[in-house]
Amino acid sequence: MTSTVTSAVPSETTPELGPRFALSARTPDSAITPNAEFRRWFTAQRRSKRYDVRRIPFSELDGWHFQDDTGDLVHRSGRFFSVEGLHVRTSWNGRESSWTQPIINQPEIGILGIVVKEFDGVLHCLMQAKMEPGNLDTVQLSPTVQATRSNYTGVHGGSAVRYLEYFVPPRRSSRGLFDSLQSEQGAWFLRKRNRNMVVEAVGEVPGHEDFVWLTLGQLYGLLHEDNVLNMDARTVLSLIPSFVGGGPPLHSTREVLSRLTEVKARRELVQRSIPLADVSHWRRTDDKIAHELGHHFTLLAAEIRATNREVTHWSQPLLAPAEQGLAAFLVRRVAGVPHLLAHARSEAGVLNVAELAPTVHCQPGHARSLPAEDRPRYLDLVLGAPRDRILFDSVQSEEGGRFHHATNRYQLVEVGDEFPLDVPEEFIWVTEEQLGGLLRHGNYVNIEARTLIAALRATGAVRGDLAR
């Protein structure tokens, strides 16, 4: 896969972006990378680009140590990330809760970016076959660039990040299309954000054997398969509007933002960093940090050997969830327009109290063990949905660079006119177009919702009717 593009569309004559991406979404195959050729290439990547991940005791971590005074797990460079403690107190509608937990603190902002380019009048995305230590299926498709600040500034001492020049100044070979800071998993990260970018290349783009050009339609097809598009690819794809038009929303965007602001103003979320050693109900042994009841997640240590990374041998902590998660939007047509039931959701490490999230997001095994009043609203409806009401259903891996075998089952579940439009105040009906508009800004739409926005577009592209 070493194709080179030699023609550019001058920026002053570039047509409106929406129709250009809509055409790409309606192109399920490509003469540049035919689907059959992609399959051969991707299978070869998974066979040849292997890595070995071996669990080790914390004492064998190279460059990592527990601080004597706090018990925090840190890197000797002071960079990358640390595992610390967090005390959380929440209050909403008269119900209060508080707890402590470990959390990953990675304050630096990385780059997640896709280069796009026209081939034969159709926009294609430059995707990378990338391995991560926590991936379930070895290699997954990632954005063109997926790099922390420590990575692309060379703190790890490895090789340079390929195609980085398209995303950092002076950026003479590209023009920006979409650019916003977006959050990551608030239950596991403390106020974590990455810069999500889509840029259009100008001039030639050198090829490389680990990269491939695919249309949006091809990527949407792959999103229906388990564990092919990685989390970072999905969040960047969510920025790209791939359908033209739509219909009137039930609520104006001003009303949506007002509802979210109302929740932020009335809901109390107090976060206080504490030493990891002071976290209650979590136990540290020689090779893991785990909740005493086995809930939530476990922190472990791993040694990794890889073949196509900037660094080929390293060790690090990884977070392993206790079970597969469930993230689902309820979808209802209002005057013929598909609407998603968004939840203004708070999580332990969220930056600004709450973000718009899927209708349901939880670890279902643990959630079903809770008293009825504490279970996520609408969970039983999602779990009991008949097959003909499920518009999208796939299992997708979360970020393999920090999490070990972390997956969510992502679903879009259609409800009929019998489902009420009047919903509890922390929920609101929104359209895909409204969420897409909010994604031009940071910290409105959480990362699980962004995967499902891409899924809704993929469903529309495949079925031809849902999101048009």
Side-chain angles (χ1 to χ4, degrees), residues 285-321:
T285 65
D286 290 342
D287 63 353
K288 66 181 179 181
I289 300 171
H291 191 271
E292 60 188 14
L293 297 179
H295 296 157
H296 312 303
F297 58 84
T298 296
L299 288 154
L300 52 89
E303 179 184 41
I304 302 104
R305 295 182 182 274
T307 59
N308 73 334
R309 293 292 300 257
E310 293 87 3
V311 175
T312 59
H313 179 212
W314 73 98
S315 60
Q316 66 170 89
L318 288 170
L319 184 153

mmCIF file of all heavy atoms in Angstrom, residues 285-321:
data_model
loop_
_atom_site.group_PDB
_atom_site.id
_atom_site.type_symbol
_atom_site.label_atom_id
_atom_site.label_comp_id
_atom_site.label_asym_id
_atom_site.label_seq_id
_atom_site.Cartn_x
_atom_site.Cartn_y
_atom_site.Cartn_z
ATOM 1 N N THR A 285 -1.256 -5.748 45.469
ATOM 2 C CA THR A 285 -0.404 -6.908 45.674
ATOM 3 C C THR A 285 0.853 -6.738 44.824
ATOM 4 O O THR A 285 1.096 -5.671 44.270
ATOM 5 C CB THR A 285 -1.143 -8.200 45.279
ATOM 6 O OG1 THR A 285 -1.410 -8.184 43.865
ATOM 7 C CG2 THR A 285 -2.460 -8.326 46.039
ATOM 8 N N ASP A 286 1.646 -7.805 44.699
ATOM 9 C CA ASP A 286 2.893 -7.704 43.932
ATOM 10 C C ASP A 286 2.639 -7.422 42.450
ATOM 11 O O ASP A 286 3.489 -6.824 41.776
ATOM 12 C CB ASP A 286 3.703 -9.005 44.052
ATOM 13 C CG ASP A 286 4.291 -9.192 45.443
ATOM 14 O OD1 ASP A 286 4.354 -8.191 46.178
ATOM 15 O OD2 ASP A 286 4.667 -10.327 45.769
ATOM 16 N N ASP A 287 1.469 -7.838 41.925
ATOM 17 C CA ASP A 287 1.267 -7.720 40.477
ATOM 18 C C ASP A 287 -0.058 -7.082 40.068
ATOM 19 O O ASP A 287 -0.399 -7.084 38.887
ATOM 20 C CB ASP A 287 1.395 -9.089 39.811
ATOM 21 C CG ASP A 287 0.331 -10.072 40.264
ATOM 22 O OD1 ASP A 287 -0.447 -9.745 41.198
ATOM 23 O OD2 ASP A 287 0.260 -11.168 39.682
ATOM 24 N N LYS A 288 -0.816 -6.525 41.017
ATOM 25 C CA LYS A 288 -2.060 -5.867 40.625
ATOM 26 C C LYS A 288 -2.567 -4.955 41.739
ATOM 27 O O LYS A 288 -2.203 -5.091 42.913
ATOM 28 C CB LYS A 288 -3.144 -6.884 40.270
ATOM 29 C CG LYS A 288 -3.620 -7.738 41.446
ATOM 30 C CD LYS A 288 -4.677 -8.739 40.977
ATOM 31 C CE LYS A 288 -5.138 -9.617 42.147
ATOM 32 N NZ LYS A 288 -6.154 -10.607 41.716
ATOM 33 N N ILE A 289 -3.417 -4.009 41.302
ATOM 34 C CA ILE A 289 -4.195 -3.180 42.216
ATOM 35 C C ILE A 289 -5.649 -3.410 41.826
ATOM 36 O O ILE A 289 -6.048 -3.137 40.690
ATOM 37 C CB ILE A 289 -3.836 -1.685 42.088
ATOM 38 C CG1 ILE A 289 -2.356 -1.464 42.416
ATOM 39 C CG2 ILE A 289 -4.711 -0.840 43.008
ATOM 40 C CD1 ILE A 289 -1.870 -0.056 42.112
ATOM 41 N N ALA A 290 -6.448 -3.925 42.756
ATOM 42 C CA ALA A 290 -7.806 -4.329 42.406
ATOM 43 C C ALA A 290 -8.774 -3.962 43.512
ATOM 44 O O ALA A 290 -8.405 -3.870 44.693
ATOM 45 C CB ALA A 290 -7.861 -5.843 42.145
ATOM 46 N N HIS A 291 -10.041 -3.770 43.117
ATOM 47 C CA HIS A 291 -11.090 -3.516 44.090
ATOM 48 C C HIS A 291 -11.335 -4.784 44.904
ATOM 49 O O HIS A 291 -11.287 -5.896 44.379
ATOM 50 C CB HIS A 291 -12.376 -3.093 43.376
ATOM 51 C CG HIS A 291 -13.432 -2.560 44.293
ATOM 52 N ND1 HIS A 291 -14.370 -3.378 44.894
ATOM 53 C CD2 HIS A 291 -13.694 -1.294 44.726
ATOM 54 C CE1 HIS A 291 -15.176 -2.638 45.637
ATOM 55 N NE2 HIS A 291 -14.788 -1.375 45.557
ATOM 56 N N GLU A 292 -11.617 -4.613 46.181
ATOM 57 C CA GLU A 292 -11.732 -5.767 47.065
ATOM 58 C C GLU A 292 -12.903 -6.682 46.701
ATOM 59 O O GLU A 292 -12.889 -7.875 47.027
ATOM 60 C CB GLU A 292 -11.874 -5.301 48.521
ATOM 61 C CG GLU A 292 -13.080 -4.444 48.791
ATOM 62 C CD GLU A 292 -13.073 -3.845 50.196
ATOM 63 O OE1 GLU A 292 -12.036 -3.876 50.871
ATOM 64 O OE2 GLU A 292 -14.132 -3.348 50.601
ATOM 65 N N LEU A 293 -13.920 -6.160 45.984
ATOM 66 C CA LEU A 293 -15.050 -6.985 45.561
ATOM 67 C C LEU A 293 -14.929 -7.437 44.112
ATOM 68 O O LEU A 293 -15.846 -8.064 43.573
ATOM 69 C CB LEU A 293 -16.358 -6.211 45.758
ATOM 70 C CG LEU A 293 -16.703 -5.825 47.200
ATOM 71 C CD1 LEU A 293 -18.011 -5.048 47.244
ATOM 72 C CD2 LEU A 293 -16.771 -7.064 48.096
ATOM 73 N N GLY A 294 -13.828 -7.098 43.470
ATOM 74 C CA GLY A 294 -13.622 -7.499 42.086
ATOM 75 C C GLY A 294 -14.348 -6.641 41.076
ATOM 76 O O GLY A 294 -14.422 -7.012 39.894
ATOM 77 N N HIS A 295 -14.887 -5.495 41.493
ATOM 78 C CA HIS A 295 -15.636 -4.625 40.590
ATOM 79 C C HIS A 295 -14.714 -3.669 39.834
ATOM 80 O O HIS A 295 -13.535 -3.530 40.136
ATOM 81 C CB HIS A 295 -16.654 -3.788 41.384
ATOM 82 C CG HIS A 295 -17.706 -4.596 42.059
ATOM 83 N ND1 HIS A 295 -18.423 -4.154 43.156
ATOM 84 C CD2 HIS A 295 -18.176 -5.841 41.803
ATOM 85 C CE1 HIS A 295 -19.276 -5.070 43.531
ATOM 86 N NE2 HIS A 295 -19.139 -6.110 42.731
ATOM 87 N N HIS A 296 -15.280 -3.015 38.838
ATOM 88 C CA HIS A 296 -14.679 -1.856 38.162
ATOM 89 C C HIS A 296 -13.500 -2.232 37.256
ATOM 90 O O HIS A 296 -13.677 -2.431 36.068
ATOM 91 C CB HIS A 296 -14.291 -0.778 39.174
ATOM 92 C CG HIS A 296 -15.374 -0.448 40.153
ATOM 93 N ND1 HIS A 296 -16.620 -0.020 39.750
ATOM 94 C CD2 HIS A 296 -15.415 -0.511 41.515
ATOM 95 C CE1 HIS A 296 -17.385 0.172 40.814
ATOM 96 N NE2 HIS A 296 -16.684 -0.124 41.897
ATOM 97 N N PHE A 297 -12.293 -2.296 37.790
ATOM 98 C CA PHE A 297 -11.119 -2.579 36.966
ATOM 99 C C PHE A 297 -9.969 -3.007 37.854
ATOM 100 O O PHE A 297 -10.015 -2.887 39.085
ATOM 101 C CB PHE A 297 -10.713 -1.350 36.129
ATOM 102 C CG PHE A 297 -10.416 -0.110 36.937
ATOM 103 C CD1 PHE A 297 -9.164 0.095 37.508
ATOM 104 C CD2 PHE A 297 -11.390 0.861 37.121
ATOM 105 C CE1 PHE A 297 -8.883 1.236 38.254
ATOM 106 C CE2 PHE A 297 -11.122 2.013 37.857
ATOM 107 C CZ PHE A 297 -9.870 2.195 38.427
ATOM 108 N N THR A 298 -8.927 -3.516 37.182
ATOM 109 C CA THR A 298 -7.683 -3.897 37.842
ATOM 110 C C THR A 298 -6.531 -3.192 37.142
ATOM 111 O O THR A 298 -6.543 -3.052 35.917
ATOM 112 C CB THR A 298 -7.470 -5.424 37.771
ATOM 113 O OG1 THR A 298 -8.512 -6.078 38.505
ATOM 114 C CG2 THR A 298 -6.123 -5.826 38.358
ATOM 115 N N LEU A 299 -5.558 -2.735 37.893
ATOM 116 C CA LEU A 299 -4.332 -2.192 37.338
ATOM 117 C C LEU A 299 -3.260 -3.256 37.413
ATOM 118 O O LEU A 299 -3.056 -3.879 38.465
ATOM 119 C CB LEU A 299 -3.901 -0.935 38.094
ATOM 120 C CG LEU A 299 -4.794 0.280 37.822
ATOM 121 C CD1 LEU A 299 -4.752 1.251 38.978
ATOM 122 C CD2 LEU A 299 -4.382 0.963 36.530
ATOM 123 N N LEU A 300 -2.598 -3.511 36.292
ATOM 124 C CA LEU A 300 -1.569 -4.536 36.244
ATOM 125 C C LEU A 300 -0.326 -3.981 35.557
ATOM 126 O O LEU A 300 -0.336 -2.876 35.014
ATOM 127 C CB LEU A 300 -2.106 -5.775 35.518
ATOM 128 C CG LEU A 300 -2.751 -5.566 34.136
ATOM 129 C CD1 LEU A 300 -1.716 -5.641 33.033
ATOM 130 C CD2 LEU A 300 -3.838 -6.619 33.912
ATOM 131 N N ALA A 301 0.738 -4.760 35.567
ATOM 132 C CA ALA A 301 1.993 -4.375 34.918
ATOM 133 C C ALA A 301 2.281 -5.342 33.778
ATOM 134 O O ALA A 301 2.003 -6.542 33.884
ATOM 135 C CB ALA A 301 3.141 -4.398 35.930
ATOM 136 N N ALA A 302 2.837 -4.806 32.691
ATOM 137 C CA ALA A 302 3.092 -5.649 31.523
ATOM 138 C C ALA A 302 4.414 -5.273 30.865
ATOM 139 O O ALA A 302 4.809 -4.096 30.856
ATOM 140 C CB ALA A 302 1.961 -5.520 30.511
ATOM 141 N N GLU A 303 5.085 -6.282 30.313
ATOM 142 C CA GLU A 303 6.255 -6.077 29.469
ATOM 143 C C GLU A 303 5.831 -6.348 28.029
ATOM 144 O O GLU A 303 5.158 -7.344 27.750
ATOM 145 C CB GLU A 303 7.381 -7.025 29.871
ATOM 146 C CG GLU A 303 8.628 -6.886 29.009
ATOM 147 C CD GLU A 303 9.688 -7.921 29.369
ATOM 148 O OE1 GLU A 303 9.316 -9.086 29.617
ATOM 149 O OE2 GLU A 303 10.867 -7.556 29.404
ATOM 150 N N ILE A 304 6.206 -5.448 27.115
ATOM 151 C CA ILE A 304 5.737 -5.533 25.732
ATOM 152 C C ILE A 304 6.914 -5.563 24.773
ATOM 153 O O ILE A 304 7.864 -4.778 24.912
ATOM 154 C CB ILE A 304 4.825 -4.329 25.381
ATOM 155 C CG1 ILE A 304 3.626 -4.269 26.336
ATOM 156 C CG2 ILE A 304 4.347 -4.412 23.941
ATOM 157 C CD1 ILE A 304 3.723 -3.215 27.400
ATOM 158 N N ARG A 305 6.853 -6.464 23.804
ATOM 159 C CA ARG A 305 7.784 -6.475 22.677
ATOM 160 C C ARG A 305 6.966 -6.362 21.403
ATOM 161 O O ARG A 305 6.014 -7.122 21.196
ATOM 162 C CB ARG A 305 8.629 -7.758 22.661
ATOM 163 C CG ARG A 305 9.562 -7.870 23.860
ATOM 164 C CD ARG A 305 10.430 -9.117 23.804
ATOM 165 N NE ARG A 305 11.270 -9.227 24.983
ATOM 166 C CZ ARG A 305 12.460 -8.657 25.135
ATOM 167 N NH1 ARG A 305 12.951 -7.941 24.126
ATOM 168 N NH2 ARG A 305 13.154 -8.786 26.235
ATOM 169 N N ALA A 306 7.313 -5.388 20.550
ATOM 170 C CA ALA A 306 6.542 -5.100 19.344
ATOM 171 C C ALA A 306 7.478 -5.017 18.154
ATOM 172 O O ALA A 306 8.694 -4.856 18.302
ATOM 173 C CB ALA A 306 5.770 -3.793 19.513
ATOM 174 N N THR A 307 6.882 -5.087 16.942
ATOM 175 C CA THR A 307 7.715 -5.078 15.743
ATOM 176 C C THR A 307 7.609 -3.789 14.946
ATOM 177 O O THR A 307 8.543 -3.459 14.214
ATOM 178 C CB THR A 307 7.328 -6.255 14.816
ATOM 179 O OG1 THR A 307 5.944 -6.128 14.455
ATOM 180 C CG2 THR A 307 7.568 -7.578 15.509
ATOM 181 N N ASN A 308 6.493 -3.070 15.058
ATOM 182 C CA ASN A 308 6.379 -1.878 14.207
ATOM 183 C C ASN A 308 6.013 -0.639 15.005
ATOM 184 O O ASN A 308 5.263 0.203 14.541
ATOM 185 C CB ASN A 308 5.358 -2.092 13.077
ATOM 186 C CG ASN A 308 3.924 -2.087 13.572
ATOM 187 O OD1 ASN A 308 3.651 -2.391 14.733
ATOM 188 N ND2 ASN A 308 2.999 -1.732 12.687
ATOM 189 N N ARG A 309 6.562 -0.500 16.193
ATOM 190 C CA ARG A 309 6.339 0.686 17.003
ATOM 191 C C ARG A 309 7.587 1.555 17.007
ATOM 192 O O ARG A 309 8.683 1.103 16.683
ATOM 193 C CB ARG A 309 5.981 0.270 18.440
ATOM 194 C CG ARG A 309 4.639 -0.429 18.573
ATOM 195 C CD ARG A 309 3.507 0.540 18.293
ATOM 196 N NE ARG A 309 3.556 1.646 19.232
ATOM 197 C CZ ARG A 309 2.748 1.771 20.279
ATOM 198 N NH1 ARG A 309 1.794 0.892 20.485
ATOM 199 N NH2 ARG A 309 2.843 2.799 21.097
ATOM 200 N N GLU A 310 7.399 2.850 17.413
ATOM 201 C CA GLU A 310 8.547 3.737 17.516
ATOM 202 C C GLU A 310 9.581 3.184 18.501
ATOM 203 O O GLU A 310 10.787 3.368 18.348
ATOM 204 C CB GLU A 310 8.089 5.135 17.966
ATOM 205 C CG GLU A 310 7.233 5.876 16.939
ATOM 206 C CD GLU A 310 5.756 5.536 17.077
ATOM 207 O OE1 GLU A 310 5.408 4.776 18.004
ATOM 208 O OE2 GLU A 310 4.953 6.009 16.245
ATOM 209 N N VAL A 311 9.095 2.514 19.555
ATOM 210 C CA VAL A 311 9.943 1.785 20.491
ATOM 211 C C VAL A 311 9.509 0.329 20.445
ATOM 212 O O VAL A 311 8.316 0.030 20.446
ATOM 213 C CB VAL A 311 9.796 2.348 21.927
ATOM 214 C CG1 VAL A 311 10.579 1.523 22.916
ATOM 215 C CG2 VAL A 311 10.249 3.806 21.976
ATOM 216 N N THR A 312 10.450 -0.602 20.405
ATOM 217 C CA THR A 312 10.105 -2.009 20.198
ATOM 218 C C THR A 312 10.066 -2.840 21.479
ATOM 219 O O THR A 312 9.629 -3.991 21.439
ATOM 220 C CB THR A 312 11.104 -2.659 19.221
ATOM 221 O OG1 THR A 312 12.431 -2.542 19.765
ATOM 222 C CG2 THR A 312 11.040 -1.970 17.865
ATOM 223 N N HIS A 313 10.516 -2.285 22.585
ATOM 224 C CA HIS A 313 10.526 -3.044 23.842
ATOM 225 C C HIS A 313 10.336 -2.062 24.991
ATOM 226 O O HIS A 313 11.104 -1.107 25.129
ATOM 227 C CB HIS A 313 11.847 -3.808 24.009
ATOM 228 C CG HIS A 313 11.932 -4.583 25.288
ATOM 229 N ND1 HIS A 313 13.113 -4.803 25.958
ATOM 230 C CD2 HIS A 313 10.965 -5.189 26.039
ATOM 231 C CE1 HIS A 313 12.889 -5.513 27.050
ATOM 232 N NE2 HIS A 313 11.592 -5.764 27.104
ATOM 233 N N TRP A 314 9.313 -2.278 25.804
ATOM 234 C CA TRP A 314 9.084 -1.411 26.955
ATOM 235 C C TRP A 314 8.182 -2.122 27.960
ATOM 236 O O TRP A 314 7.654 -3.199 27.690
ATOM 237 C CB TRP A 314 8.453 -0.079 26.523
ATOM 238 C CG TRP A 314 7.013 -0.135 26.119
ATOM 239 C CD1 TRP A 314 5.923 0.164 26.881
ATOM 240 C CD2 TRP A 314 6.481 -0.511 24.833
ATOM 241 N NE1 TRP A 314 4.761 0.007 26.164
ATOM 242 C CE2 TRP A 314 5.070 -0.393 24.909
ATOM 243 C CE3 TRP A 314 7.063 -0.917 23.623
ATOM 244 C CZ2 TRP A 314 4.241 -0.692 23.831
ATOM 245 C CZ3 TRP A 314 6.231 -1.199 22.548
ATOM 246 C CH2 TRP A 314 4.846 -1.086 22.655
ATOM 247 N N SER A 315 7.993 -1.516 29.114
ATOM 248 C CA SER A 315 7.039 -2.016 30.101
ATOM 249 C C SER A 315 6.217 -0.845 30.616
ATOM 250 O O SER A 315 6.654 0.309 30.564
ATOM 251 C CB SER A 315 7.755 -2.722 31.260
ATOM 252 O OG SER A 315 8.646 -1.841 31.921
ATOM 253 N N GLN A 316 5.022 -1.159 31.105
ATOM 254 C CA GLN A 316 4.120 -0.098 31.543
ATOM 255 C C GLN A 316 2.971 -0.688 32.352
ATOM 256 O O GLN A 316 2.668 -1.873 32.259
ATOM 257 C CB GLN A 316 3.543 0.654 30.345
ATOM 258 C CG GLN A 316 2.618 -0.204 29.479
ATOM 259 C CD GLN A 316 1.877 0.611 28.440
ATOM 260 O OE1 GLN A 316 2.371 0.789 27.342
ATOM 261 N NE2 GLN A 316 0.685 1.093 28.785
ATOM 262 N N PRO A 317 2.257 0.157 33.118
ATOM 263 C CA PRO A 317 1.000 -0.271 33.723
ATOM 264 C C PRO A 317 -0.105 -0.280 32.673
ATOM 265 O O PRO A 317 -0.074 0.484 31.704
ATOM 266 C CB PRO A 317 0.723 0.809 34.787
ATOM 267 C CG PRO A 317 1.975 1.618 34.903
ATOM 268 C CD PRO A 317 2.683 1.490 33.590
ATOM 269 N N LEU A 318 -1.107 -1.131 32.870
ATOM 270 C CA LEU A 318 -2.305 -1.175 32.034
ATOM 271 C C LEU A 318 -3.523 -1.319 32.940
ATOM 272 O O LEU A 318 -3.459 -1.956 34.001
ATOM 273 C CB LEU A 318 -2.263 -2.356 31.063
ATOM 274 C CG LEU A 318 -1.287 -2.288 29.891
ATOM 275 C CD1 LEU A 318 -1.209 -3.641 29.196
ATOM 276 C CD2 LEU A 318 -1.706 -1.206 28.892
ATOM 277 N N LEU A 319 -4.632 -0.745 32.509
ATOM 278 C CA LEU A 319 -5.898 -0.856 33.244
ATOM 279 C C LEU A 319 -6.766 -1.899 32.546
ATOM 280 O O LEU A 319 -7.026 -1.783 31.345
ATOM 281 C CB LEU A 319 -6.583 0.507 33.292
ATOM 282 C CG LEU A 319 -7.878 0.639 34.087
ATOM 283 C CD1 LEU A 319 -8.059 2.079 34.597
ATOM 284 C CD2 LEU A 319 -9.112 0.231 33.272
ATOM 285 N N ALA A 320 -7.212 -2.897 33.297
ATOM 286 C CA ALA A 320 -8.037 -3.975 32.743
ATOM 287 C C ALA A 320 -9.422 -3.936 33.377
ATOM 288 O O ALA A 320 -9.568 -4.170 34.579
ATOM 289 C CB ALA A 320 -7.388 -5.331 33.012
ATOM 290 N N PRO A 321 -10.484 -3.610 32.607
ATOM 291 C CA PRO A 321 -11.843 -3.575 33.167
ATOM 292 C C PRO A 321 -12.279 -4.942 33.678
ATOM 293 O O PRO A 321 -11.836 -5.983 33.183
ATOM 294 C CB PRO A 321 -12.703 -3.133 31.980
ATOM 295 C CG PRO A 321 -11.752 -2.513 31.018
ATOM 296 C CD PRO A 321 -10.445 -3.230 31.196
#
